[in-house]
Amino acid sequence: MPRYNYLNPPENARAPQEVRIVDLKVEPAPDNRRVRVMVEITPFRERPDLTATLYQQDEEVTSAHIVENIDTHLAFTLHIRNLSDDPNYVLAVSVHYQEYGEVDQRSISFSLPPAVQE
């Protein structure tokens, strides 16, 4: 997995304003209390910040902030603290820099499957 190396960035590394989200996936855990988020971004010259926010009916459920990310392929877990009867969610991920602001954003809608009882 490629990692950011400030001494030797890859040849195809992009300037901050050109960094983009290439792929975004979400996988609910069997208990529906967690979701696995997988994000792929373009190679970069400067380490970007990322924000992932989970919404339900336009209300924020949970979020995560990654500061000065060093990977082009990220995987992390978001925890859903309060489950509701509505299984529909939207995950929004943004790439931003303190100096340049938001440079890209992508959203994905998904529904939680019926929970598996342990």
Side-chain angles (χ1 to χ4, degrees):
M1 181 177 316
R3 290 197 182 262
Y4 175 79
N5 180 341
Y6 69 94
L7 296 174
N8 188 22
E11 288 183 23
N12 63 342
R14 295 186 180 188
Q17 301 89 335
E18 299 172 346
V19 174
R20 299 291 179 259
I21 296 170
V22 176
D23 195 22
L24 176 61
K25 295 178 185 169
V26 63
E27 292 178 358
D31 64 3
N32 285 344
R33 293 210 162 270
R34 296 163 287 137
V35 292
R36 184 87 168 150
V37 177
M38 289 143 296
V39 182
E40 179 184 352
I41 61 174
T42 55
F44 43 85
R45 291 186 196 147
E46 296 178 34
R47 296 178 291 187
D49 297 340
L50 282 87
T51 299
T53 308
L54 190 62
Y55 295 96
Q56 185 178 51
Q57 298 177 359
D58 296 326
E59 301 246 348
E60 183 177 320
V61 174
T62 190
S63 64
H65 304 282
I66 300 165
V67 179
E68 294 190 5
N69 167 60
I70 61 170
D71 292 320
T72 57
H73 294 76
L74 296 92
F76 54 91
T77 302
L78 292 176
H79 293 262
I80 302 172
R81 306 240 184 266
N82 300 313
L83 289 176
S84 75
D85 293 333
D86 184 357
N88 301 308
Y89 290 85
V90 173
L91 173 67
V93 175
S94 65
V95 178
H96 46 94
Y97 290 85
Q98 186 171 1
E99 186 174 334
Y100 305 103
E102 184 177 280
V103 296
D104 198 23
Q105 191 271 343
R106 187 176 289 189
S107 298
I108 185 170
S109 299
F110 67 97
S111 297
L112 296 177
V116 175
Q117 300 298 323
E118 294 184 23

